[in-house]
Amino acid sequence: MEATTHPFKDSGSNRITFIIHAAITLVILLIAGFFQGFGFEGVLLPLILTPIAAGVSGIIFKNTEELRYSSGMKMGFGWAIGFAGYLVLIPMALAL
């Protein structure tokens, strides 16, 4: 008997996805702020909200993985939801 594995079973937990996306965003913001010489005023809120938004967007994108790898309308719907998380949450966090 041949054992089959589910392709999405080992894709990681939501906590790990959140931490990875939040850390990447925080590093990018700190590097960009370092080169632009940011002051403390007006920086604290984006440094808190943007990594949280990126982490939540990563969780949304990860959880639509099964839809993205299906066929037809489900695939398009999965990609649309996955990218909508990034396209909505991150600019909204930066605008705050």
Side-chain angles (χ1 to χ4, degrees), residues 21-22 25-26 29 44-57 89-96:
H21 282 78
T25 305
L26 184 60
L29 282 174
L44 190 58
L45 195 60
L47 283 178
I48 293 170
L49 292 178
T50 307
I52 291 172
V56 171
S57 300
L89 288 175
I90 293 178
M92 189 172 17
L94 286 171
L96 290 175

Side-chain angles (χ1 to χ4, degrees), residues 6 9-10 14 23 25 35 37 53 60 62-63 68 75 77 82 89 95:
H6 194 271
K9 187 175 184 177
D10 297 324
N14 286 338
T25 305
F35 285 118
I60 291 170
K62 179 191 145 316
N63 288 329
R68 289 193 318 269
M75 183 176 70
F77 191 60
L89 288 175

Side-chain angles (χ1 to χ4, degrees), residues 12 18-19 22-23 28 40 45 52 59-60 66 71 84 87 89 93 95:
F18 179 84
I19 290 170
I28 290 171
F40 189 71
L45 195 60
I52 291 172
I59 291 172
I60 291 170
E66 196 166 337
S71 60
L87 295 175
L89 288 175

Side-chain angles (χ1 to χ4, degrees), residues 2-6:
E2 188 175 316
T4 59
T5 60
H6 194 271

